[in-house]
């Protein structure tokens, strides 16, 4: 049986390549696996040969030591692959299919799944709310930054690309369907972005850039992206966004007013999450900064999309309350302005088929927007370091060398 190289979290600031067991249609004990999931049979699952898998900002939270992730956890929840083995309970997914796996693992049977809330499936994570591959407290499903991975409930979860050759030509765009493109799109839909909207996106990391491109796809008139990282702001401008430099001392409403003529927008999206920093020169970590700032600049009765990650446990938080997920949010301001808030994991299946069609029919260029850059699986540790240092890049791992030099974007 084939081996299986994979990226493992070791300790804060360190990941390494390990050889782990080839996946089986059963959950085995290992780092982060919930005891109630050990021995769980998955005849409804498939084995994927991973074609592309991406480094996500959510992975970085774990690698920075900002969660309770155990040593040895295999990372990776953004997975695109070829089906090479099919369980006896799978009817419609076939060997040889090229597919996208939503980062949310969902059973398709429970109340939440039937209502379309696949991010909080009731049957896949005995420890809490919802599940994902290779993520702390998400049930212990082995991650996909690997050569091979098992995907459960395959008929329900997987999105099959209708034309394999066409999909391989668009693979850098299509690999974004597993997480960041639907996540950014969900943030914008939740914020009510539509034709003619003025939109503020907090954060110019890959999810923020994906949200900005999604806002354009939804018809926004002006998309403003805020960050302190000048390289990432330049990337946002490269596809037509306006930008504000949050490292400056000028108040955010004033900077927005210089762009749209008033100190407010119709809709705002938090694409940063709990490791936010205060605005201005030398801003220190202040986890409620983004939430409070988007309330400040969103007009009355506006909506706030919050796909940025917030956690119930943060051992590296700057204050005791934040270590338990309690933040100093100006809820009174949001209440006074009649704001609506949408939080939580993006239910990827709600959007991924439509976004696939948009990609295949040349309606969007998400890989270009997020500056997708292909690296080998062996180079994943360096990719994590570069990403942590603020690279304006979405790193796509190529475990089997299937993406080719012609698919490489950036430097």
């Amino acid at each position: 049986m084939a081996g299986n190289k994979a990226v493992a979290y070791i300790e804060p600031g360190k990941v390494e390549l390990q050889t782990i067991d080839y996946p089986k249609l059963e959950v085995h004990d290992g780092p982060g696996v919930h005891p109630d999931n050990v021995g769980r049979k998955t005849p409804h699952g498939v084995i994927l040969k991973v074609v592309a898998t991406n480094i996500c900002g959510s992975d970085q939270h774990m690698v920075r030591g900002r969660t309770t992730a155990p040593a040895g956890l295999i990372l990776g929840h953004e997975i695109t692959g070829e089906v090479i083995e099919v369980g006896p309970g799978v009817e419609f997914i076939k060997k040889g299919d090229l597919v996208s796996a939503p980062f949310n693992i969902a059973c398709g049977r429970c109340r939440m799944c039937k209502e379309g809330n696949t991010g909080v499936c009731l049957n896949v994570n005995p420890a809490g709310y919802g599940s994902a591959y290779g993520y702390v407290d998400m049930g212990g499903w082995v991650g996909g930054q690997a050569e091979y991975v098992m995907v459960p409930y395959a008929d329900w979860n997987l999105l099959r690309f209708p034309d394999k050759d066409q999909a391989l030509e668009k693979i850098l765009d299509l690999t974004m369907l597993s997480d960041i493109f639907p996540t950014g799109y969900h943030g914008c839909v939740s914020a009510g972005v539509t034709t003619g909207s003025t939109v503020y996106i907090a954060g110019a990391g890959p999810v923020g850039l994906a949200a900005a491109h999604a806002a354009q796809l939804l018809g926004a008139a002006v998309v403003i992206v805020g960050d302190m990282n000048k390289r990432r702001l330049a990337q946002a401008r490269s596809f037509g966004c306006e930008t504000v430099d949050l490292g400056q001392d000028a108040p955010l409403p004033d900077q927005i007013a210089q762009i749209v003529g008033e100190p407010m927008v119709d809709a705002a999206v938090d694409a940063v999450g709990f490791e936010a920093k205060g605005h201005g020169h030398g801003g220190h970590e202040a986890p409620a900064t983004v939430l409070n700032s988007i309330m400040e600049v969103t007009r009355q009765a506006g909506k706030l999309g919050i796909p940025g990650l917030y956690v119930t446990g943060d051992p590296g938080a700057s204050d005791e309350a934040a270590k338990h997920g309690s933040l100093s949010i100006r809820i009174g301001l949001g209440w006074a302005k009649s704001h609506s808030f949408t939080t939580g994991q993006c239910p990827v299946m709600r959007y991924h088929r439509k976004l696939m069609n948009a990609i295949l029919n040349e309606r969007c260029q998400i890989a270009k927007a997020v500056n997708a850059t292909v690296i080998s699986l062996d180079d994943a540790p360096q990719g994590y370091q570069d990403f942590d240092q603020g690279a304006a890049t979405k790193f796509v791992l190529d475990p089997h060398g299937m993406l080719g030099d012609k698919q490489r974007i950036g430097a």
Side-chain angles (χ1 to χ4, degrees):
M1 187 63 71
N4 189 17
K5 289 196 298 184
V7 180
Y9 166 71
I10 303 303
E11 61 186 16
K14 182 179 181 181
V15 302
E16 71 178 22
L17 216 61
Q18 297 183 348
T19 298
I20 63 173
D21 291 339
Y22 184 84
K24 298 180 180 179
L25 297 176
E26 179 179 341
V27 180
H28 294 278
D29 198 8
V33 179
H34 192 280
D36 291 348
N37 265 353
V38 174
R40 184 171 182 166
K41 307 292 184 182
T42 57
H44 42 68
V46 300
I47 308 299
L48 296 185
K49 178 181 180 179
V50 178
V51 173
T53 178
N54 315 324
I55 297 176
C56 180
S58 298
D59 298 320
Q60 286 285 19
H61 293 307
M62 291 185 288
V63 174
R64 291 189 189 111
R66 298 299 297 268
T67 72
T68 56
L73 181 73
I74 302 302
L75 300 169
H77 56 271
E78 300 189 13
I79 305 165
T80 306
E82 179 183 7
V83 178
I84 59 172
E85 183 179 336
V86 177
V90 178
E91 278 192 88
F92 307 113
I93 295 293
K94 305 299 182 185
K95 186 175 179 180
D97 285 346
L98 189 63
V99 296
S100 175
F103 80 91
N104 332 97
I105 301 172
C107 73
R109 297 153 166 80
C110 70
R111 174 181 176 181
M112 290 296 102
C113 285
K114 290 180 178 180
E115 292 178 354
N117 298 311
T118 53
V120 282
C121 173
L122 301 176
N123 290 329
V124 289
N125 182 9
Y129 310 105
S131 193
Y133 305 90
Y135 211 85
V136 60
D137 296 331
M138 289 285 187
W141 302 88
V142 176
Q145 286 174 15
E147 294 178 300
Y148 304 93
V149 69
M150 189 271 287
V151 172
Y153 304 106
D155 282 327
W156 170 251
N157 282 303
L158 292 177
L159 174 67
R160 183 179 68 86
F161 302 136
D163 184 312
K164 193 171 182 178
D165 291 336
Q166 181 193 27
L168 286 171
E169 287 297 315
K170 294 282 190 181
I171 195 67
L172 282 195
D173 294 284
L174 294 172
T175 191
M176 305 305 162
L177 293 174
S178 57
D179 183 356
I180 67 163
F181 198 15
T183 292
Y185 192 85
H186 176 62
C188 291
V189 170
S190 301
V193 177
T194 187
T195 304
S197 297
T198 56
V199 185
Y200 174 63
I201 310 290
V207 170
L209 295 172
H213 194 43
Q216 293 173 332
L217 185 61
L218 287 163
V222 181
V223 180
I224 306 167
V225 180
D227 205 296
M228 301 178 186
N229 183 316
K230 296 185 186 302
R231 289 175 292 174
R232 291 179 172 179
L233 291 175
Q235 180 61 28
R237 289 191 294 273
S238 75
F239 60 96
C241 298
E242 302 286 346
T243 60
V244 293
D245 185 348
L246 300 177
Q248 297 181 4
D249 291 328
L252 176 59
D254 292 352
Q255 293 193 63
I256 287 177
Q258 291 178 7
I259 297 169
V260 297
E262 57 181 347
M264 65 183 70
V265 291
D266 298 320
V269 176
D270 172 4
V272 178
F274 72 103
E275 288 193 65
K277 293 182 178 179
H279 299 170
H281 293 292
H284 300 291
E285 186 168 304
T289 295
V290 173
L291 294 171
N292 288 331
S293 67
I294 62 176
M295 282 190 281
E296 183 181 15
V297 300
T298 302
R299 69 175 65 258
Q300 293 89 330
K303 297 179 180 180
L304 313 177
I306 309 174
L309 177 65
Y310 290 87
V311 294
T312 56
D314 173 10
S318 55
D319 62 74
E320 193 62 33
K323 290 181 180 180
H324 305 285
S326 296
L327 309 181
S328 298
I329 300 169
R330 294 184 63 193
I331 191 65
L333 175 62
W335 189 94
K337 296 177 76 173
S338 293
H339 283 160
S340 300
F341 302 76
T342 299
T343 65
Q345 290 186 33
C346 164
V348 170
M349 293 174 66
R350 192 178 298 174
Y351 308 107
H352 65 175
R353 186 174 301 278
K354 293 178 180 179
L355 293 176
M356 174 189 73
N357 288 336
I359 288 168
L360 295 178
N361 289 282
E362 305 286 349
R363 303 299 296 172
C364 55
Q365 294 182 307
I366 184 62
K368 182 178 179 181
V370 301
N371 192 24
T373 302
V374 179
I375 61 175
S376 70
L377 196 64
D378 291 340
D379 288 335
Q382 185 62 52
Y384 269 95
Q385 289 185 29
D386 292 347
F387 191 24
D388 189 50
Q389 292 169 7
T393 297
K394 177 67 173 178
F395 288 109
V396 177
L397 305 180
D398 184 7
H400 294 278
M402 297 177 67
L403 303 186
D405 288 338
K406 67 183 180 65
Q407 295 284 359
R408 295 174 189 266
I409 295 177

